[in-house]
Amino acid sequence: MTLATGTISDQPKRTSTWPLVLKLARRELAAGWSGFSIFIACIALGVMVITGVGALSDALRAGFERQGRMILGGDATFSRSHARATPTERQWLDGEGRVSETATMRTMARRLDGEDQALIELKSVDTAYPHVGAVNVAGATSYAAALADGVIADPVLMERLGVKVGDQIRIGGKEIKISAALVSEPDGLIDRLTYGPRVFASIETLMSTGLVQPGTLVRWRYALALNDGRGDTKDGLIAFRDDAKRALPEAGFSLADRRDPSPQVTRTLERLRQFLTLLGLTSLLVGGVGVANAVATFMEKRRKVIATFKSLGATSHTIFAVFLGQIMAMAAIGVAIGLVLGLIVPGILMTVYGNVLPIQPEISISFASLATAIAYGFLVALLFSLWPLGRAEQVSASVLFRDEVAPERVLPRWPILAVMGAAALALVGFTVFSSDSKLIALGFCGGLIVVFLVFIGLGDVVTRLARRVRGARPPELALAVANLGAPGGLTRSVVVSLGSGLSLLVTVALADASLVNELSARLPAQSPNYFVLDIPKADYPGLKQVVLNQSPAAVLEEAPMLRGRLINLKGKPVEQIKAPPEAEWVLNGDRGLTYADKVPEGSKVVAGSWWEPGYDGEPVVSFEADLAKLLGLKIGDMVTVNVLGRNVSAKITNLREVKWESLSLNFVMVFSPNTLKGAPHNYLATITLPKDASPADEAQLAKVLGKTYPAVTAIRVKDAIDAFSTVFTKIMTAVRVAGSVTLLAGALVLAGALATAQRRRILEAVILKALGATRRRILTAHVIEYLLLAAVAALFAVGLGTIAAWVTVSQVMDIDFNFSWSAVAAALALATGLVILFGGIGTWGVLRARPVPYLRSE
């Protein structure tokens, strides 16, 4: 038996199967794409996010690498805390190329009348600075002229102190003229995190302030423009780094070159890309529900075609291949649209926000980024399409013809289930192995699987329960409950799509609330009012007396303060250690170091024992317990730090649990006094005023300290916390906005589910109207149904989101979890609003439909 066209035969030859499949698939596609708009939109949205993230990341990375010389200030830089380059070190550096010397430190700038002061980031430079780019100033003929005449200040500082160009301020022990306003600097990105406005000065001016003393926390940096073009090639830079390691083996310099001018910024960009890619994948997976719905609906409309094919002898394999080809073609369209839109995103963002970015992005799209987006798009489309496809090709022709009144549940064949499993494993494997933190990525995938299983199961439970309800009153409620349990109803789609999106937003909101609570409510009842930096040892007794004269009830705590860089752990160079992402910061750059005879306040020894007072044996150190665990350190291991250009090795003798939120003076590493006591250093202190001290009392104390000890830096704790909170709020707002993409995918699925049910809803409304139901009653029934669905989805989203937030906050961030009712209320309101919005649009279409065409068609 054959069709009139001769396209199907009783026993198709194996050699002609694929041409036949392609021919049938092409004919089916020519019949129209009806019902695939939501399918395409769901795929396109997720692919757009992943492509956009990848393209923006590539653009930033390309700009970062291309502008490496500008960002770094040269081909390579050497930086070290406390110690300026020795004559021998400087001689070697000068032999390698042109050298520019800079010194950065935090200090205070004060009005001459002592009425106000502000924390600043002082950057002192020599006449060779900058090698690349320029310092742009306003109010002076040139940068060089301004620097020779005084200091160049950020306008923010001048506004803060109420001064202008031409006025004088006090820095350290010197009165200095503000000769120009700073507009921009070429290498600001490479400097450490700044806490105050920038002030430029010459090295000579810095030395005249009296701020640079043995032990003062100054970061010296030497930028090189290498000789003979060595900095122009990768091989030349690698050879130069090797030469530097041989020539300066224990100098303690941190070395960077223009290929990766700031590893910290590179890591930040990479983690941001990974985070946003995971959000894009989440939106794709949520949209996968829409994909499954669209495929199921499409197959529903093609039942008679499938039945005809089977009646004429088409095999299940042929039917499966025909419709899989059509669906993958639709997926290709969605992926293509997503790719195009995603590639537009970086251009739009650069146009709108390019002037506020720290670097100039350069359009550069890697094959890996595009391949990642394409792979995710097709894998998700395949994963969610196979189930409805597999069911359709398993159903017999006779069942297909009567399925309108007697739907039959069947499972896909085991090879199809195996392919689904392979696609799911490919998604998980691709996500995990492309992530910097594989444990977090694996947890993310596991969490998503749990969320989907819970909401799929919940949708089935609600449907089954609704079918068991009998005799509900009033009639509107009975109709709403009947709709919840109806075959092909909205329950499963709405619960899965809305619930999964809301779960993510609840997780983010509760994690946000816990972090805010940690920053505020978890602070000690009596936290310090000031941190005071760079107190010379000889001046501490006098400074303490000044504070007590101002406030006899004040409490001071002090600790020796040095900076050093970790060189070796257990005899292994830190450059060769692959640390977990949450511990990498310890190995990068300088760390605060101290020594003590007793356990610091806010710390508790949890392993090993503390040394006795007056200990004079081999150098030993106490290490923070959580970081030691992450780095694989244990009692008895050796650590080596470089302090003031000298390598110091010590044995770990105990591990401490530190309560950082106490704001006590604590450090990752605390050495025995005999290890570091001979090194030049200053003191760090906290000042805690009585609870009844007013802001005026705080300000007066700062003024007196500034006049008496102009070289010390007093940082008001509340100002530092407020500044951090401002940045934190912006970050969490950005995370919530990014997370909303997932909810948008859920909204698309919701809209698709409502569109799918539209015909059945219209027919039902027509029949109800014929039986005497009013528009008000039909509308009321629909509103009740939507409210029930919203309540079920939101309540379970709150539960899952709470669990996910608790795991994230307490197990990953290691802080106390804080439940926020406002986050719960926001989730409930959002769920209700979305369902009523889309449901209202759908109901309006139902109520406006003309009954005759539907009654005639049936």
Side-chain angles (χ1 to χ4, degrees):
M1 178 183 289
T2 62
L3 288 176
T5 55
T7 55
I8 299 178
S9 63
D10 284 288
Q11 297 175 341
K13 296 179 181 179
R14 185 174 299 274
T15 55
S16 63
T17 299
W18 282 110
L20 173 64
V21 166
L22 294 175
K23 189 174 183 180
L24 290 173
R26 181 178 58 78
R27 288 186 176 183
E28 282 293 308
L29 281 174
W33 299 355
S34 176
F36 274 106
S37 57
I38 296 296
F39 177 107
I40 293 171
C42 289
I43 296 295
L45 177 65
V47 172
M48 180 192 74
V49 174
I50 295 174
T51 304
V53 168
L56 182 60
S57 176
D58 290 340
L60 289 171
R61 188 181 295 109
F64 196 54
E65 293 174 356
R66 186 76 58 84
Q67 300 162 54
R69 188 177 274 113
M70 171 79 74
I71 294 167
L72 201 61
D75 296 313
T77 61
F78 293 79
S79 56
R80 180 172 72 189
S81 289
H82 294 299
R84 195 175 185 180
T86 65
T88 302
E89 292 167 344
R90 185 59 193 259
Q91 182 180 4
W92 184 85
L93 293 172
D94 287 332
E96 295 297 314
R98 291 183 295 112
V99 181
S100 169
E101 181 183 48
T102 64
T104 55
M105 66 181 300
R106 297 187 185 106
T107 187
M108 305 299 293
R110 298 178 172 91
R111 289 173 56 99
L112 296 188
D113 58 13
E115 289 303 311
D116 206 354
Q117 61 185 358
L119 179 68
I120 63 170
E121 294 280 342
L122 182 62
K123 183 171 184 175
S124 304
V125 300
D126 61 10
T127 55
Y129 174 89
H131 286 320
V132 186
V135 180
N136 296 315
V137 300
T141 56
S142 68
Y143 152 73
L147 207 60
D149 191 34
V151 297
I152 303 168
D154 191 313
V156 172
L157 174 66
M158 292 188 277
E159 182 179 352
R160 171 77 175 78
L161 295 182
V163 295
K164 61 184 183 301
V165 173
D167 291 343
Q168 289 194 322
I169 56 175
R170 183 181 299 278
I171 299 178
K174 186 178 178 62
E175 296 179 6
I176 310 173
K177 175 185 173 183
I178 299 177
S179 55
L182 178 64
V183 176
S184 66
E185 57 181 312
D187 56 349
L189 187 64
I190 200 64
D191 287 324
R192 63 187 177 184
L193 178 65
T194 58
Y195 290 88
R198 173 75 77 201
V199 173
F200 266 87
S202 65
I203 294 287
E204 292 74 18
T205 299
L206 171 66
M207 293 304 182
S208 68
T209 61
L211 291 172
V212 180
Q213 301 293 333
T216 300
L217 184 53
V218 183
R219 185 165 186 81
W220 297 92
R221 186 159 65 91
Y222 300 88
L224 275 75
L226 296 175
N227 292 332
D228 304 324
R230 295 182 72 188
D232 295 337
T233 64
K234 177 181 177 180
D235 291 340
L237 289 170
I238 293 174
F240 170 73
R241 292 181 75 102
D242 292 338
D243 292 344
K245 289 177 182 179
R246 286 191 295 269
L248 308 170
E250 294 191 3
F253 285 116
S254 295
L255 174 57
D257 63 54
R258 65 170 182 80
R259 295 173 302 160
D260 189 5
S262 179
Q264 293 89 343
V265 173
T266 301
R267 279 191 297 273
T268 299
L269 290 175
E270 179 59 22
R271 288 173 187 168
L272 179 63
R273 181 194 65 78
Q274 291 173 0
F275 170 73
L276 293 176
T277 298
L278 289 178
L279 283 181
L281 177 58
T282 304
S283 69
L284 253 180
L285 291 173
V286 171
V289 180
V291 168
N293 288 341
V295 173
T297 303
F298 173 72
M299 300 306 293
E300 178 86 4
K301 293 179 179 179
R302 287 292 190 266
R303 284 176 307 175
K304 294 182 179 179
V305 174
I306 296 172
T308 303
F309 280 178
K310 286 203 167 189
S311 299
L312 296 175
T315 65
S316 296
H317 295 79
T318 300
I319 293 172
F320 179 83
V322 167
F323 289 102
L324 179 63
Q326 294 177 69
I327 289 165
M328 287 297 102
M330 294 299 105
I333 294 172
V335 168
I337 293 173
L339 288 175
V340 172
L341 294 177
L343 293 176
I344 294 172
V345 168
I348 295 174
L349 291 178
M350 281 183 251
T351 301
V352 178
Y353 299 108
N355 60 331
V356 300
L357 293 174
I359 56 176
Q360 181 61 42
E362 296 186 9
I363 298 300
S364 174
I365 301 163
S366 68
F367 172 77
S369 295
L370 294 180
T372 298
I374 293 171
Y376 278 138
F378 278 109
L379 282 173
V380 168
L382 183 65
L383 176 63
F384 285 89
S385 299
L386 286 175
W387 180 270
L389 266 178
R391 287 191 66 236
E393 61 107 21
Q394 279 289 91
V395 179
S396 66
S398 60
V399 171
L400 281 167
F401 281 121
R402 70 169 186 269
D403 201 38
E404 295 233 6
V405 294
E408 181 174 301
R409 282 185 173 272
V410 293
L411 292 176
R413 291 178 292 112
W414 72 262
I416 296 176
L417 293 175
V419 174
M420 289 179 64
L425 288 175
L427 272 172
V428 173
F430 197 44
T431 303
V432 171
F433 289 106
S434 64
S435 175
D436 188 41
S437 178
K438 293 177 174 50
L439 186 61
I440 292 177
L442 191 61
F444 169 84
C445 294
L448 276 182
I449 292 171
V450 170
V451 167
F452 271 96
L453 290 178
V454 167
F455 282 110
I456 289 171
L458 177 63
D460 281 335
V461 168
V462 172
T463 300
R464 291 174 184 274
L465 289 177
R467 290 173 182 172
R468 292 175 179 271
V469 175
R470 296 290 185 270
R473 292 290 184 272
E476 292 87 350
L477 176 60
L479 180 58
V481 172
N483 282 338
L484 291 178
L490 299 174
T491 304
R492 294 184 182 88
S493 298
V494 171
V495 168
V496 174
S497 59
L498 197 60
S500 52
L502 283 174
S503 295
L504 177 64
L505 289 189
V506 170
T507 301
V508 172
L510 290 178
D512 180 15
S514 296
L515 285 168
V516 170
N517 184 67
E518 184 74 13
L519 290 173
S520 53
R522 292 292 296 171
L523 290 175
Q526 183 66 5
S527 61
N529 297 80
Y530 283 100
F531 279 100
V532 187
L533 313 177
D534 285 331
I535 308 171
K537 287 188 288 185
D539 288 347
Y540 181 73
L543 182 142
K544 182 175 182 178
Q545 190 58 51
V546 168
V547 173
L548 294 177
N549 288 342
Q550 286 294 123
S551 178
V555 176
L556 284 84
E557 292 183 5
E558 83 284 349
M561 174 67 174
L562 302 90
R563 300 290 290 185
R565 187 167 68 90
L566 273 167
I567 302 296
N568 282 278
L569 293 178
K570 298 190 293 186
K572 187 176 183 179
V574 295
E575 292 84 0
Q576 300 176 15
I577 296 175
K578 178 61 176 175
E582 55 270 34
E584 284 183 348
W585 63 273
V586 183
L587 307 181
N588 299 315
D590 296 333
R591 300 272 66 80
L593 310 175
T594 192
Y595 60 83
D597 255 333
K598 61 179 182 178
V599 181
E601 191 73 25
S603 289
K604 181 176 74 173
V605 175
V606 294
S609 58
W610 198 263
W611 44 85
E612 296 293 328
Y615 172 81
D616 196 30
E618 66 172 320
V620 292
V621 64
S622 172
F623 214 94
E624 199 273 333
D626 289 338
L627 286 168
K629 182 179 179 181
L630 291 170
L631 294 170
L633 298 175
K634 61 184 183 301
I635 293 173
D637 289 339
M638 299 295 293
V639 299
T640 302
V641 294
N642 187 280
V643 183
L644 298 170
R646 185 170 66 91
N647 286 350
V648 177
S649 297
K651 182 170 71 175
I652 298 176
T653 190
N654 66 76
L655 302 176
R656 287 170 298 117
E657 183 182 87
V658 179
K659 294 183 178 179
W660 299 105
E661 69 271 17
S662 69
L663 297 184
S664 298
L665 297 178
N666 266 297
F667 298 78
V668 172
M669 291 174 281
V670 179
F671 291 82
S672 57
N674 64 316
T675 305
L676 297 177
K677 200 169 186 178
H681 63 271
N682 288 340
Y683 275 83
L684 166 68
T686 60
I687 301 174
T688 306
L689 299 177
K691 290 183 178 181
D692 58 357
S694 66
D697 295 332
E698 287 189 34
Q700 181 60 29
L701 175 61
K703 290 177 185 178
V704 173
L705 283 178
K707 289 180 179 179
T708 312
Y709 296 98
V712 303
T713 302
I715 301 175
R716 188 168 177 253
V717 173
K718 185 177 185 303
D719 292 340
I721 293 175
D722 288 346
F724 177 79
S725 297
T726 300
V727 175
F728 174 77
T729 300
K730 292 179 180 179
I731 292 172
M732 293 310 297
T733 299
V735 170
R736 281 193 290 270
V737 170
S740 298
V741 174
T742 304
L743 197 61
L744 177 59
L748 276 175
V749 177
L750 181 61
L754 288 165
T756 300
Q758 186 84 331
R759 179 178 175 80
R760 185 178 65 79
R761 290 293 171 100
I762 292 175
L763 179 59
E764 177 188 84
V766 166
I767 295 172
L768 288 172
K769 285 181 182 179
L771 296 175
T774 64
R775 285 193 173 192
R776 183 187 61 79
R777 283 197 162 185
I778 297 173
L779 178 62
T780 302
H782 284 192
V783 169
I784 293 173
E785 179 190 358
Y786 299 147
L787 287 176
L788 289 173
L789 285 174
V792 170
L795 288 174
F796 273 82
V798 168
L800 277 179
T802 300
I803 293 171
W806 176 81
V807 171
T808 302
V809 169
S810 62
Q811 305 302 311
V812 178
M813 300 180 180
D814 196 24
I815 61 176
D816 289 343
F817 175 70
N818 178 63
F819 186 80
S820 169
W821 283 108
S822 61
V824 172
L828 291 170
L830 191 58
T832 304
L834 281 173
V835 173
I836 289 180
L837 172 64
F838 287 104
I841 294 172
T843 300
W844 178 249
V846 168
L847 295 177
R848 292 180 68 247
R850 297 173 58 120
V852 174
Y854 289 91
L855 291 175
R856 180 181 298 154
S857 66
E858 296 301 315

